[in-house]
Amino acid sequence: MELEILTACPLFKGLAPQEIDALLQQSLAKLRSFPQGAMVALRGETCTHLLIVAQGKVQGQMIDEAGKMIVIEDIPAPRPIAPAFLYAEQNEFPVNVMALEDTHILFIAQPAFTDMLQQNKTVLQNFLRVISSRSKFLSDKIMFLTFKTIKSKIAEWLLNHLPTADASMIHIQETQQTLADYFGVARPSLARALKEMEDEGLISVQRKQITLINKHGLKMLTR
Amino acid sequence: MELEILTACPLFKGLAPQEIDALLQQSLAKLRSFPQGAMVALRGETCTHLLIVAQGKVQGQMIDEAGKMIVIEDIPAPRPIAPAFLYAEQNEFPVNVMALEDTHILFIAQPAFTDMLQQNKTVLQNFLRVISSRSKFLSDKIMFLTFKTIKSKIAEWLLNHLPTADASMIHIQETQQTLADYFGVARPSLARALKEMEDEGLISVQRKQITLINKHGLKMLTR
DNA sequence: CACAAAATGTAACATAGGTTACAAATGCCA
DNA sequence: TGGCATTTGTAACCTATGTTACATTTTGTG
């Protein structure tokens, strides 16, 4: 296979390309293609294979009662999808997974992967680190969702998106709509909250350019 | 040590008591006591040891900006505390951990536990299952937090707390205040939502006895 | 049994955020 | 460069939930 990109996959960190190749051959790994917009996995489906994004990008999604999408996470190549659910007692996909681009996914059956873990100490340690870090991500997400006000979410987000710790300007890549979906709030509410924070002297907003004026005040909002 | 209770610990499932004892001795595991109300670990602290509740009960907590506590999870003996954070890249405790009763905690240093995983396949598989299931729990928690209305949270909670699938009566153990904290809402708001759901013919409430009258209607609320 | 403490029911009012609608600014492309 | 599509700003109004306060019921305890 031409899967050099997998050397950059956190699961195979520290392995030589030929080692990875050998492991994949041994495990009968299969590559499948998904066009942009296709569903790779649905919430509730049983998770029998380890899925690794070999090319392209997918997105984990949850749908609320109004049908509005709350984006949870983007997963670009070469990362594994939902590795933590491969060994869960109730091993169902927790979220819908959609291909954001034309995407290639590597499928490795669970028993074959278990063999891989037993054989290869490096992969084992990598896997532990990956699923543990994933728990950390989820835990942080809960902390974020638990912030009640839009302003506190914005403050948390802004402070985490500074290019450097002592910088104070942020150029936003996402549209307001995308950010609002990420926060799970309505777009006009996000705009209103930004304006109020500007009125309060916390930040200065020029379209996609946001300057943090009172970082301490922002920090106060996050707790 | 007199730690027979650990045979019931998900980490040591399938092992004989003397095997467990040998593993613990080898890993230089230490037992520490915490009085009721003591903090076992603080959010942000580095997670250098695997912690197992050997006796008593602890609670993972998060505090919101108003100082109100949002209960995340109770952990009774003989369960491990935050096992998923032992191997995370950013291995900090995600939440505060408080002893709910007089509690004994078993401490195993991370390197010693890694040795245990490498030596004992059963423990390895148990550990994978435990941290994977924990991810599932967190993921479900996110789904739950994402429900916007109090009624949808109540509906989800009620449907998940039926003693059997075809039962329709639930006797609540917790006080309204405890439940409200768990949902992250105010106590009177919870009471009001319950009354409204009663008015709508979804449930019938007699203090701690709740009868589900329209299960289908309740299911509709959760999506 | 009587009394205090805890839990629950409920009402009036305040507020954050959602909804809808539209205008203004910006970007893009022929 | 002109015109259309996208993004952003903003306002009016609505609704769910929080806040505060207090009455009522239940529970526990001497």
Side-chain angles (χ1 to χ4, degrees):
Chain A
M1 303 194 203
E2 19 52 85
L3 292 172
E4 295 86 17
I5 189 175
L6 290 184
T7 56
C9 177
L11 266 188
F12 299 116
K13 194 170 147 183
L15 293 181
Q18 54 269 34
E19 285 182 281
I20 298 174
D21 216 41
L23 286 171
L24 291 183
Q25 300 239 343
Q26 219 177 352
S27 64
L28 302 173
K30 287 201 173 48
L31 204 56
R32 288 180 56 193
S33 298
F34 294 86
Q36 180 176 19
M39 298 311 292
V40 176
L42 296 176
R43 188 166 104 89
E45 255 178 18
T46 304
C47 188
T48 60
H49 290 69
L50 178 66
L51 273 55
I52 301 175
V53 183
Q55 187 191 310
K57 199 195 303 191
V58 303
Q59 183 176 71
Q61 306 169 339
M62 293 206 297
I63 311 289
D64 73 7
E65 63 262 40
K68 200 174 67 179
M69 215 170 55
I70 295 184
V71 174
I72 293 299
E73 195 194 10
D74 285 358
I75 307 173
R79 286 191 30 209
I81 303 174
F85 291 86
L86 194 56
Y87 289 98
E89 274 149 280
Q90 215 189 324
N91 59 337
E92 299 168 356
F93 276 100
V95 295
N96 293 323
V97 179
M98 188 179 78
L100 287 181
E101 315 168 351
D102 289 351
T103 296
H104 291 174
I105 310 270
L106 193 65
F107 283 69
I108 305 178
Q110 199 248 33
F113 186 68
T114 305
D115 291 344
M116 200 187 292
L117 289 182
Q118 287 173 6
Q119 282 170 33
N120 193 301
K121 191 172 129 184
T122 303
V123 176
L124 168 62
Q125 287 175 332
N126 285 340
F127 188 67
L128 282 178
R129 183 172 31 75
V130 166
I131 57 180
S132 295
S133 296
R134 163 115 204 122
S135 271
K136 177 83 170 78
F137 171 85
L138 289 174
S139 184
D140 288 350
K141 188 89 200 173
I142 286 179
M143 196 63 181
F144 187 74
L145 282 174
T146 303
F147 288 140
K148 267 191 276 318
T149 65
I150 296 184
K151 288 184 195 173
S152 62
K153 291 181 184 185
I154 294 174
E156 169 82 3
W157 190 88
L158 286 175
L159 291 169
N160 279 330
H161 277 72
L162 284 171
T164 62
D166 57 341
S168 62
M169 287 239 287
I170 297 176
H171 190 79
I172 298 179
Q173 309 296 326
E174 300 85 350
T175 67
Q176 276 193 4
Q177 184 61 63
T178 303
L179 267 191
D181 286 347
Y182 179 69
F183 290 167
V185 302
R187 205 264 314 160
S189 304
L190 176 64
R192 173 173 48 199
L194 283 171
K195 187 166 61 110
E196 285 174 13
M197 291 171 81
E198 188 165 30
D199 293 345
E200 290 159 12
L202 292 169
I203 59 178
S204 146
V205 182
Q206 297 102 52
R207 294 249 145 186
K208 290 188 175 299
Q209 190 83 30
I210 295 187
T211 310
L212 310 200
I213 294 175
N214 179 353
K215 280 198 208 176
H216 182 256
L218 288 171
K219 275 205 191 75
M220 286 303 95
L221 273 180
T222 67
R223 39 192 314 275
Chain B
M1 304 193 203
E2 19 53 86
L3 291 171
E4 296 85 18
I5 189 175
L6 289 183
T7 55
C9 176
L11 267 187
F12 300 116
K13 194 171 146 182
L15 294 181
Q18 56 268 34
E19 285 183 280
I20 298 174
D21 214 42
L23 286 171
L24 291 184
Q25 300 240 343
Q26 219 177 351
S27 65
L28 301 174
K30 287 202 172 46
L31 203 56
R32 289 181 54 194
S33 298
F34 294 86
Q36 179 176 21
M39 300 310 293
V40 175
L42 297 176
R43 189 166 104 90
E45 253 177 21
T46 304
C47 188
T48 59
H49 290 70
L50 178 65
L51 273 54
I52 302 176
V53 183
Q55 188 191 309
K57 200 196 299 192
V58 303
Q59 184 176 70
Q61 306 170 336
M62 293 206 296
I63 310 289
D64 71 9
E65 64 262 41
K68 201 176 64 179
M69 213 171 55
I70 296 185
V71 174
I72 293 301
E73 194 194 11
D74 286 359
I75 307 174
R79 285 189 34 206
I81 302 174
F85 292 86
L86 194 56
Y87 290 98
E89 273 149 281
Q90 214 188 326
N91 60 336
E92 298 169 357
F93 275 100
V95 295
N96 293 325
V97 179
M98 189 180 77
L100 288 180
E101 315 167 353
D102 290 351
T103 297
H104 292 173
I105 310 269
L106 193 66
F107 282 69
I108 306 177
Q110 200 246 33
F113 186 68
T114 306
D115 291 345
M116 199 188 293
L117 288 181
Q118 287 174 6
Q119 282 170 32
N120 192 301
K121 189 172 128 186
T122 303
V123 177
L124 168 61
Q125 287 176 331
N126 285 339
F127 188 67
L128 283 178
R129 183 171 31 76
V130 166
I131 56 181
S132 295
S133 296
R134 165 120 202 116
S135 272
K136 177 83 170 79
F137 171 85
L138 290 174
S139 181
D140 288 349
K141 188 89 199 173
I142 286 178
M143 196 62 182
F144 187 75
L145 283 174
T146 304
F147 288 139
K148 267 189 274 314
T149 66
I150 296 183
K151 289 184 193 173
S152 62
K153 290 180 185 186
I154 294 174
E156 169 82 3
W157 190 89
L158 286 175
L159 291 169
N160 280 329
H161 277 72
L162 285 171
T164 61
D166 57 343
S168 62
M169 287 238 288
I170 296 176
H171 190 79
I172 297 178
Q173 310 295 326
E174 299 86 351
T175 67
Q176 276 193 4
Q177 185 60 63
T178 303
L179 268 190
D181 286 347
Y182 178 68
F183 290 168
V185 303
R187 205 263 315 158
S189 303
L190 176 64
R192 173 173 49 202
L194 282 171
K195 187 166 62 112
E196 285 174 12
M197 291 171 82
E198 187 165 32
D199 292 346
E200 290 160 10
L202 291 170
I203 59 178
S204 146
V205 182
Q206 298 101 61
R207 291 248 147 188
K208 290 189 174 300
Q209 189 83 30
I210 296 187
T211 310
L212 311 199
I213 294 175
N214 180 353
K215 280 199 210 176
H216 182 256
L218 288 172
K219 276 207 191 74
M220 286 303 93
L221 273 181
T222 66
R223 42 194 308 282

